[in-house]
């Protein structure tokens, strides 16, 4: 993709998040395989001042639940599946299991990657559908240098993950 196309994807993704009610200071969890949409989602969050956390796509539902619960993310971005060692990892199913008791999660944005069968609930929104309806204009949010940019979770000594909050800089 050209530089202009990448910028348009970031802008459109930021507008998608805004259309779902995400604003400066809100938290977004990203649970995607290694695809361009992973970085696009991170930069879209930065553009509107949302705080993101990226979770390795090999983590279990329990690990994801701990991180979403700690960050209080109302939006989760995932894929129907990802590929690991030639097999499909059913990421959407793992997310569904992780958030089943987390009532504060408003929406799950689902990227169609593996084209496997997934169940769609009222919380679920398909990435491509949202991108097709995205607005053409998205002014970047003005942020202080100490505004939180992302949360990086480390494995804690207590068995619970510890989130390290990084600033925009």
């Amino acid at each position: 993709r050209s530089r202009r196309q990448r910028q348009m994807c970031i802008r459109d993704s930021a507008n998608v998040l805004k259309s779902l009610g995400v604003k400066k200071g809100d938290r977004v969890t990203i649970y995607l395989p290694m695809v361009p949409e992973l970085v696009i989602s991170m930069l879209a969050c930065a553009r509107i001042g949302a705080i993101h956390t990226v979770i390795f796509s090999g983590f279990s539902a329990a690990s994801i639940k701990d991180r979403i619960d700690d960050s209080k993310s109302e939006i989760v971005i995932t894929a129907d599946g990802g590929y690991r060692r030639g097999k499909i990892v059913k990421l959407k199913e793992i997310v569904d299991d992780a958030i089943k008791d987390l009532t504060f999660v408003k929406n799950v944005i689902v990227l169609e990657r593996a084209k496997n069968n997934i169940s769609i609930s009222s919380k679920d929104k398909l990435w491509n559908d949202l991108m097709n309806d995205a607005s053409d204009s998205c002014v970047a949010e003005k942020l202080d240098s100490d505004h939180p940019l992302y949360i990086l979770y480390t494995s804690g000594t207590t068995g619970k993950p510890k989130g390290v909050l990084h600033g925009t800089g």
Side-chain angles (χ1 to χ4, degrees), residues 14-84:
N15 281 326
V16 161
L17 293 172
K18 287 170 66 174
S19 75
L20 295 174
V22 178
K23 57 191 177 313
K24 179 179 172 181
D26 288 349
R27 277 100 191 272
V28 176
T29 293
I30 304 170
Y31 181 64
L32 287 168
M34 295 298 284
V35 292
E37 290 81 2
L38 171 64
V39 176
I40 289 167
S41 297
M42 294 166 58
L43 293 171
C45 288
R47 184 170 188 85
I48 63 173
I51 305 160
H52 67 276
T53 182
V54 177
I55 301 176
F56 170 60
S57 63
F59 277 13
S60 69
S63 295
I64 296 165
K65 180 180 181 178
D66 287 345
R67 287 158 174 78
I68 293 173
D69 191 31
D70 182 72
S71 68
K72 297 297 185 245
S73 294
E74 294 181 352
I75 303 288
V76 178
I77 303 173
T78 192
D80 58 352
Y83 297 96
R84 182 168 289 293

Side-chain angles (χ1 to χ4, degrees), residues 13-145:
S13 298
N15 281 326
V16 161
L17 293 172
K18 287 170 66 174
S19 75
L20 295 174
V22 178
K23 57 191 177 313
K24 179 179 172 181
D26 288 349
R27 277 100 191 272
V28 176
T29 293
I30 304 170
Y31 181 64
L32 287 168
M34 295 298 284
V35 292
E37 290 81 2
L38 171 64
V39 176
I40 289 167
S41 297
M42 294 166 58
L43 293 171
C45 288
R47 184 170 188 85
I48 63 173
I51 305 160
H52 67 276
T53 182
V54 177
I55 301 176
F56 170 60
S57 63
F59 277 13
S60 69
S63 295
I64 296 165
K65 180 180 181 178
D66 287 345
R67 287 158 174 78
I68 293 173
D69 191 31
D70 182 72
S71 68
K72 297 297 185 245
S73 294
E74 294 181 352
I75 303 288
V76 178
I77 303 173
T78 192
D80 58 352
Y83 297 96
R84 182 168 289 293
R85 297 184 186 152
K87 295 181 183 173
I88 294 176
V89 178
K90 297 179 179 182
L91 301 176
K92 171 67 167 62
E93 285 183 16
I94 296 168
V95 166
D96 286 346
D97 188 31
I99 67 169
K100 66 183 175 211
D101 299 325
L102 301 178
T103 57
F104 58 84
V105 175
K106 292 179 181 174
N107 291 111
V108 177
I109 301 173
V110 183
L111 173 69
E112 294 174 285
R113 167 80 171 132
K115 307 290 187 201
N116 58 325
N117 291 329
I118 57 172
S119 63
I120 299 291
S121 75
S122 60
K123 285 185 179 184
D124 300 331
K125 310 288 182 197
L126 296 178
W127 175 283
N128 288 339
D129 292 347
L130 293 170
M131 290 292 279
N132 288 336
D133 296 334
S135 172
D136 288 342
S137 174
C138 183
V139 177
E141 187 73 33
K142 292 181 182 178
L143 305 170
D144 293 332
S145 61

